[in-house]
Amino acid sequence: MKDNNCIFCKIIAGEIPAAKVYEDDKMLVFRDIEPKAKVHLLAVPKSHFKLLSEADGEIMSYMFGRIPQIAAQNGCDGGYRLVINQGDDAGQTVFHLHIHILGGEKLPIDII
Ligand code: AMP
């Protein structure tokens, strides 16, 4: 379901632009607008979940199942880090569940 006030829902709907690298009927992957690493992608479910704690295991399993191939095809063949910020204490700023995919270089510990 779409949340009309959600920036990632607007990207999914094509209402605002993003540099998309992968899309299917359940998920979208696009480049972070303020990259914290040489490769910084965001994987989002097409359904709107504000938080990881609202998402179901099926969609998480689906996304994690596809991320290795998407990362490898986008310059993360040397490895990558996945990050989910859940809620205010973690610094979540966009309240549409997203998985950060960071790589393309040796990553410092405190990147995000
Ligand atoms: P978080 O702090 O985990 O909520 O991460 C939100 C991420 O979304 C940040 O890394 C932002 O740079 C990124 N972001 C915000 N707006 C956009 C946008 N329009 N297109 C791509 N990335 C975005």
Side-chain angles (χ1 to χ4, degrees):
M1 204 159 58
K2 182 170 181 276
D3 177 331
N4 289 327
N5 297 314
C6 169
I7 190 160
F8 289 175
C9 283
K10 289 180 181 170
I11 288 174
I12 291 162
E15 292 167 9
I16 63 169
K20 298 177 185 180
V21 303
Y22 175 84
E23 181 166 20
D24 65 26
D25 57 327
K26 294 186 180 63
M27 70 184 282
L28 176 67
V29 183
F30 53 93
R31 295 193 188 283
D32 195 292
I33 205 165
E34 284 180 41
K36 315 295 187 301
K38 203 165 169 187
V39 178
H40 187 174
L41 308 174
L42 299 173
V44 302
K46 286 196 168 176
S47 297
H48 181 81
F49 303 103
K50 285 200 289 282
L51 298 157
L52 173 64
S53 54
E54 292 183 356
D56 57 86
E58 199 176 319
I59 187 63
M60 298 313 295
S61 169
Y62 184 84
M63 293 206 299
F64 280 118
R66 273 147 195 82
I67 282 173
Q69 194 181 2
I70 296 164
Q73 288 171 344
N74 284 279
C76 295
D77 32 316
Y80 53 90
R81 185 176 301 154
L82 304 181
V83 174
I84 298 173
N85 289 321
Q86 153 87 16
D88 291 326
D89 281 1
Q92 184 175 359
T93 57
V94 177
F95 285 83
H96 180 126
L97 169 65
H98 49 282
I99 304 170
H100 295 262
I101 304 167
L102 299 141
E105 61 183 321
K106 281 268 183 226
L107 299 171
I109 284 296
D110 60 349
I111 192 170
I112 193 165

